[in-house]
Amino acid sequence: MNLCAILVLLVFTTSSWGKDIEAFPDLNLNNPNELKEATRVLEEELKLAARPQTYLLIDLGGGTIHIKGRGIGLHQIPIIAWSGGSREGLKGIHRLVARPPVVRRKIEPGAGVEQEPISLADMPVDYVLSFSPSLSVTVVPSVASDNLFQSALLLVKVGWRNVKDWTGSFISDRSSEPMSHLRLTLSMDHAQSLAWSLVDGMAVVIRQPTDK
């Protein structure tokens, strides 16, 4: 696809999905690598926008997770930091295998207390999302907190998650179908918000940063 075709695709996509929608505000139009990656992502999005289901666009270059439907941005979640992910392993459309589990306080039978409906506060703040084809996305919360005990607990959990990620990467590198591992650091509220928004089979497209 030549440069003119790429620019036409970018203009058509942003204008047809709403005047207030900017596909990639940080995109450098003078960088052919960035244009190529943006075009790849937009082509994948066009496939998803034709269906009514919501999907995720994880924009690593822009540092934002977009929850979208029909190509329209519904919610944005800022990424504090990210790491991992092989360039080839992050390409294409991946679909969520299962939502992260929610662990709720058990209500004893006969206690006379009704279980309240699941709410945003019940969502986990650290979890692993498995996608098909082989992709694992680990979500961890930022440990910045005024509560020292909570910060210490999160540091332990994040440390344990680091060990599990390293072990999983070590094993998958020796398997017949290597799995790509991506790690996202979000605020606690945003980690819960992302978990709340997920549905089984949800599609994700990932925009990767490119070399200058």
Side-chain angles (χ1 to χ4, degrees), residues 91-121:
K91 290 183 177 180
I93 296 175
H94 301 264
R95 293 194 176 275
L96 183 63
V97 175
R99 298 179 62 189
V102 178
V103 180
R104 307 186 71 196
R105 182 174 62 91
K106 292 184 178 180
I107 302 296
E108 295 295 333
V113 179
E114 294 185 1
Q115 183 73 280
E116 296 182 358
I118 294 177
S119 66
L120 183 62

Side-chain angles (χ1 to χ4, degrees), residues 1 14 35-36 39 55 98 140 145 152 159 171 176 180 182 211:
M1 186 177 290
T14 54
L35 287 174
K36 182 179 179 180
T39 300
Y55 62 92
V140 296
S145 174
I171 294 174
S176 57
S180 184
L182 180 63
D211 297 330

